[in-house]
């Protein structure tokens, strides 16, 4: 079973081959989005509308709230509700697709022979973590006038950069 969407009088199937791309291009507007005038930029505009919910008609000339800035959006509890809703749309799409066959998910002539994490300047498979202090501007969505911006310093867990490798075994030349 596939879903179809009306796009300027036509239907674009949300099938198992390209459907996830079509849906994603509708949720995040871009040049490849089908009918941008109809579907808009659902995910990002949700952030914007929520960030102006405290002054929706701009009567009080308030700046946008934390949901309007990607650097601070996660500070608003509604961020997680909004993203759960976006995820639910994709999950609903996926439940309408036929199940994958085992042949679509496996490669008979290829197998993973190991996995290794390699931190910069460290031993393989030993991740290096440390405490780091960072500063954040709290002025988004909060009024500190006339004092100006307010910064907070917090301590959080960090790790050294790392790469990982997954060696493959090919039973025949690809």
């Amino acid at each position: 079973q596939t879903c179809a969407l009306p796009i300027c009088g036509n239907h674009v199937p949300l099938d198992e081959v390209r459907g996830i791309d079509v849906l994603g291009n509708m949720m995040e507007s871009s040049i490849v989005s089908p009918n941008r005038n109809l579907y808009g930029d659902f995910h990002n505009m949700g952030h914007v509308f929520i960030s102006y919910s405290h002054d929706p008609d701009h009567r009080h000339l308030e700046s946008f709230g934390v949901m309007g800035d990607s650097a601070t959006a996660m500070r608003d509890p509604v961020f997680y509700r909004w993203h759960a809703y976006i995820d639910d749309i994709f999950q609903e799409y996926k439940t309408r697709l036929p199940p994958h066959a085992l042949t679509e998910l496996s490669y008979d002539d290829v197998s993973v022979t190991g996995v290794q994490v390699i931190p910069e300047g460290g031993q393989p498979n030993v991740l290096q973590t440390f405490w780091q202090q960072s500063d954040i501007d709290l002025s988004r969505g909060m009024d500190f006038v006339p004092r100006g911006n307010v910064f907070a310093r917090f301590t959080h867990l960090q790790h050294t950069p790392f790469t990982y490798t997954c060696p493959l075994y090919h039973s025949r030349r690809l």
Side-chain angles (χ1 to χ4, degrees):
Q1 175 184 357
T2 61
C3 307
L5 300 167
I7 299 185
C8 299
N10 298 320
H11 283 89
V12 175
L14 293 183
D15 58 18
E16 62 271 12
V17 178
R18 298 261 311 130
I20 194 74
D21 294 326
V22 173
L23 183 57
N25 289 332
M26 290 168 44
M27 300 298 274
E28 299 284 342
S29 184
S30 73
I31 193 83
V32 295
S33 296
N35 200 344
R36 290 169 76 180
N37 291 331
L38 178 63
Y39 296 109
D41 190 6
F42 190 71
H43 166 245
N44 292 322
M45 290 310 291
H47 276 266
V48 172
F49 292 149
I50 293 168
S51 74
Y52 279 108
S53 62
H54 63 287
D55 189 13
D57 59 4
H58 208 55
R59 182 179 308 162
H60 305 288
L61 304 176
E62 291 288 329
S63 181
F64 57 87
V66 295
M67 274 290 282
D69 186 339
S70 60
T72 58
M74 290 174 52
R75 288 178 31 209
D76 193 326
V78 78
F79 171 90
Y80 301 96
R81 297 290 298 259
W82 178 242
H83 280 259
Y85 177 68
I86 298 296
D87 291 346
D88 287 347
I89 293 171
F90 283 92
Q91 283 302 120
E92 179 64 27
Y93 159 75
K94 290 173 71 173
T95 63
R96 296 171 185 262
L97 296 176
H100 290 292
L102 183 58
T103 56
E104 294 176 291
L105 301 174
S106 64
Y107 296 93
D108 293 334
D109 57 342
V110 177
S111 58
V112 176
T113 59
V115 176
Q116 191 173 45
V117 177
I118 305 167
E120 280 185 10
Q123 293 179 321
N125 297 325
V126 178
L127 294 177
Q128 299 167 347
T129 60
F130 56 92
W131 293 107
Q132 178 176 323
Q133 287 191 334
S134 296
D135 296 329
I136 188 168
D137 183 355
L138 297 177
S139 63
R140 290 287 186 211
M142 302 175 87
D143 188 4
F144 294 110
V145 174
R147 290 182 15 201
N149 294 354
V150 172
F151 291 89
R153 176 166 288 156
F154 64 101
T155 303
H156 59 96
L157 191 62
Q158 185 58 281
H159 61 82
T160 57
F162 63 88
T163 58
Y164 60 91
T165 60
C166 296
L168 301 176
Y169 171 75
H170 302 279
S171 60
R172 63 182 169 90
R173 270 288 202 235
L174 298 177

